[in-house]
Amino acid sequence: MFLPSIGLEIHTELKTKNKMFCSCLNDPEEERPNVNICPICLAHPGVLPTINKEAVEKVIKVGLALNSKISKFSKFDRKNYFYPDLPKGYQISQYDAPLCVGGSLNNVSIRRIHLEEDTGRLIHGKDFSLVDFNRAGVPLMELVTEPDIKSAAEALSFVKELQLILRYLNVSDADMEKGQLRIEVNISVQPEISNFKSQTPNKLGTKVEIKNLNSFRAVGEAIGYEIQRQKNLLEKGEKIIQETRGWDDKKKITVSQRLKEESHDYRYFPEPDLPPLDLEKFDLDNLRRELPELPTQKRERFIKEYGLLPKQVEILVVDRFAAEFFEEAASELKIQNPKSKFQTLYNYLTSDLFGLVSQAKIGYKDLKITPENFAELINIIDKGEISTRTAKDILKIMFETGRDPSEIIETEGLKQISDESGIIEIVKKVILENQKAVEDYKKGRENALQFLIGRAMSELKGRANPKILEELFKKELKD
Ligand code: ZN
Ligand code: MN
């Protein structure tokens, strides 16, 4: 048997106003190349960097959210390597004094979280390459986990939860497609030695690093492939080479790129142009107070407060808009506070309203329905004033126009007919016209009754109270 050990290295572009060491705008939406650049991020001789406080605070917030230790002392270092997207010939990063140390998420230990700068972007033509420096110097957070992860599924749930936390903290949009969240995986596989009880913990096998993972799907597939590749080699008695491999998303394989660098290859040394960071000067308590409710807390609260099931809560928690809309609408329902109302609210929100949103292909910000009006609709449904069918019709009108549900019911004459005199004639008519079903019912077939109710409901355009219809049919068919 073989045991995989997986560690992650996750780079996240921070959402800050300015770049990490200059006052250029940090604008990921900018499409024109080389617009947000200056002598500092272009590495002209003699320029001096300054530290972006907003970026430092955002990394500390991530550290606080993950229960890391916030270092009292931190500093920046130069990581030297040569590549055309790196104008200085080195990256300002952090080597031995990262901002945050330790912490955990989903039972995976975090080794460190540090701050560095992003590189420019290379655009390759047929026989030329162009460089866009808009991204050069954008604040980049690097989080490194311990190799605690045992499977692709565990790795994916870790990165998805981290992505959610980064979004809750408003630290990054963490969109993988846009390169705002970049994941590198290191994997080693070692034989399981279960019958040596006194043995010190297994030494990890040779580590292989995988890059070019551009989607969650790719992360999962690459881990699965690489574990199997290493197992096969070990079973044949071959050695694993320590190297960096790239993921080929078309062939679904990892391919050798280069032998892994050691940290001494980068000739790290302290950045002489930046002062060390004295983090005791930062008001950590204040940053802690600024932390929003985190996903875990929200899950617990939603289950307790609204009586929803964990899998229902998950749908709301992963979508900040949905959770906010739900809560705002729920607060309008709270006067009578029955949990069944929250359930109705949840159902109409996640199936009906979300259905309309995805059909119309609009963004939530273009939604015309307010949570207040939505809650009013739920109250009306709850009181039994309209049938479910009418409710769906009203919701559609609300969705298209943003009108108030009570007003729609009033002007469109959609109020449920609950008094018997208004529907008894229809019940009689349906009985006359559907003698076969009447006979079936009298023979004891319950669904014949449902059929008759359905006929009457459709004659009444869905405005009848089904309970009253059922009573009337039963009464009429008694004799
Ligand atoms: Zn700049
Ligand atoms: Mn890095």
Side-chain angles (χ1 to χ4, degrees):
M1 282 297 284
F2 292 101
L3 273 182
S5 296
I6 304 163
L8 301 172
E9 242 182 72
I10 301 170
H11 284 89
T12 306
E13 271 178 11
L14 299 181
K15 203 156 93 175
T16 53
K17 188 166 175 289
N18 305 106
K19 288 189 182 181
M20 189 58 226
F21 299 112
C22 61
S23 56
C24 287
L25 281 185
N26 169 13
D27 180 8
E29 306 296 325
E30 179 56 70
E31 280 169 8
R32 297 165 298 165
N34 296 312
V35 172
N36 294 318
I37 52 171
C38 75
I40 296 174
C41 52
L42 289 181
H44 287 199
V47 296
L48 287 173
T50 41
I51 299 169
N52 182 341
K53 191 180 178 202
E54 190 191 1
V56 174
E57 288 181 341
K58 289 202 156 162
V59 171
I60 292 176
K61 278 188 178 175
V62 175
L64 290 172
L66 301 178
N67 292 313
S68 306
K69 198 172 141 281
I70 311 303
S71 307
K72 290 200 168 72
F73 169 85
S74 184
K75 69 178 173 67
F76 288 96
D77 301 277
R78 290 187 181 181
K79 180 182 182 181
N80 297 278
Y81 67 94
F82 184 77
Y83 206 67
D85 62 8
L86 190 70
K88 290 195 284 286
Y90 59 86
Q91 177 192 35
I92 304 181
S93 179
Q94 297 194 286
Y95 181 50
D96 52 357
L99 284 172
C100 312
V101 179
S104 74
L105 175 65
N106 280 12
N107 293 320
V108 175
S109 300
I110 288 157
R111 183 178 294 168
R112 55 183 280 156
I113 311 173
H114 74 246
L115 189 51
E116 55 190 35
E117 58 179 335
D118 209 345
T119 61
R121 216 189 274 270
L122 290 176
I123 297 137
H124 301 288
K126 196 165 169 288
D127 47 11
F128 60 90
S129 288
L130 301 170
V131 200
D132 176 6
F133 287 110
N134 284 340
R135 203 181 65 176
V138 161
L140 199 61
M141 182 187 90
E142 180 176 331
L143 181 150
V144 183
T145 78
E146 297 294 344
D148 288 351
I149 299 166
K150 298 291 172 213
S151 67
E154 275 180 36
L156 284 175
S157 68
F158 180 92
V159 282
K160 284 181 183 167
E161 188 68 7
L162 178 68
Q163 181 187 51
L164 195 57
I165 290 170
L166 296 172
R167 289 176 177 171
Y168 270 52
L169 293 172
N170 198 27
V171 153
S172 173
D173 291 336
D175 190 333
M176 268 193 99
E177 271 175 34
K178 292 183 184 160
Q180 293 162 344
L181 184 69
R182 292 171 234 157
I183 299 164
E184 285 159 38
V185 179
N186 54 69
I187 302 182
S188 64
V189 165
Q190 65 274 5
E192 193 175 25
I193 315 171
S194 51
N195 38 359
F196 291 96
K197 284 215 177 90
S198 59
Q199 186 106 2
T200 43
N202 277 351
K203 228 180 108 220
L204 294 180
T206 306
K207 190 169 83 174
V208 171
E209 206 173 295
I210 311 172
K211 292 183 191 262
N212 295 356
L213 301 165
N214 298 322
S215 65
F216 286 134
R217 187 188 38 74
V219 170
E221 289 173 347
I223 292 175
Y225 174 86
E226 186 59 23
I227 290 174
Q228 200 51 50
R229 186 188 73 88
Q230 294 186 23
K231 277 184 186 171
N232 292 347
L233 284 174
L234 291 176
E235 271 161 10
K236 281 189 276 179
E238 287 178 38
K239 273 216 168 98
I240 310 283
I241 305 162
Q242 182 172 338
E243 61 182 343
T244 300
R245 298 176 73 86
W247 174 245
D248 184 330
D249 206 35
K250 286 208 182 78
K251 295 187 185 144
K252 308 285 178 204
I253 55 169
T254 62
V255 282
S256 182
Q257 283 187 332
R258 57 190 146 94
L259 297 185
K260 174 77 186 134
E261 312 75 357
E262 300 284 340
S263 69
H264 61 247
D265 292 329
Y266 291 119
R267 295 179 294 113
Y268 279 101
F269 63 86
E271 168 59 61
D273 289 339
L274 289 171
L277 276 167
D278 181 359
L279 291 172
E280 282 183 292
K281 289 207 181 100
F282 274 73
D283 191 346
L284 289 190
D285 289 332
N286 192 41
L287 289 176
R288 210 182 305 258
R289 270 192 299 276
E290 278 175 27
L291 292 184
E293 179 180 48
L294 292 169
T296 314
Q297 300 160 328
K298 201 187 270 303
R299 286 183 185 103
E300 283 169 14
R301 187 170 61 78
F302 270 40
I303 290 172
K304 223 170 84 189
E305 227 169 275
Y306 303 115
L308 299 176
L309 299 169
K311 70 166 194 265
Q312 295 178 320
V313 167
E314 206 50 37
I315 288 176
L316 298 176
V317 166
V318 296
D319 184 336
R320 216 163 58 187
F321 170 83
E324 274 169 26
F325 193 96
F326 180 89
E327 288 226 87
E328 278 177 45
S331 71
E332 306 277 322
L333 297 176
K334 265 182 186 162
I335 315 147
Q336 288 103 351
N337 199 22
K339 295 228 157 138
S340 76
K341 261 195 188 181
F342 294 136
Q343 199 63 54
T344 311
L345 170 64
Y346 174 83
N347 292 338
Y348 274 87
L349 178 68
T350 56
S351 54
D352 299 282
L353 183 55
F354 286 5
L356 290 168
V357 168
S358 75
Q359 258 176 37
K361 295 193 176 79
I362 59 163
Y364 289 131
K365 60 180 190 315
D366 302 316
L367 196 62
K368 289 181 183 147
I369 298 183
T370 62
E372 293 74 27
N373 279 344
F374 196 73
E376 194 182 327
L377 178 68
I378 303 303
N379 278 324
I380 294 167
I381 295 167
D382 192 63
K383 274 188 241 156
E385 286 176 9
I386 52 171
S387 66
T388 11
R389 201 189 109 169
T390 311
K392 286 180 206 284
D393 293 342
I394 294 172
L395 184 62
K396 192 139 189 285
I397 300 172
M398 290 169 71
F399 177 76
E400 281 158 4
T401 63
R403 281 161 66 193
D404 178 277
S406 308
E407 179 264 321
I408 296 171
I409 292 169
E410 206 62 42
T411 45
E412 313 280 329
L414 292 171
K415 198 161 182 144
Q416 181 156 286
I417 309 162
S418 287
D419 84 277
E420 297 183 8
S421 63
I423 48 183
I424 189 72
E425 290 310 314
I426 300 291
V427 168
K428 286 181 175 160
K429 181 170 166 254
V430 168
I431 289 175
L432 268 176
E433 287 170 359
N434 296 278
Q435 281 302 311
K436 172 86 174 57
V438 170
E439 275 166 42
D440 285 349
Y441 172 68
K442 286 184 173 161
K443 280 181 204 153
R445 288 195 198 136
E446 271 304 310
N447 40 5
L449 181 65
Q450 288 313 313
F451 171 79
L452 292 168
I453 294 170
R455 297 297 315 151
M457 192 61 105
S458 118
E459 292 267 343
L460 290 157
K461 298 196 170 63
R463 289 187 295 127
N465 181 327
K467 283 225 173 65
I468 292 176
L469 270 185
E470 185 177 339
E471 279 163 28
L472 283 177
F473 270 111
K474 280 185 174 165
K475 213 163 87 188
E476 287 296 313
L477 294 172
K478 231 181 204 160
D479 20 72

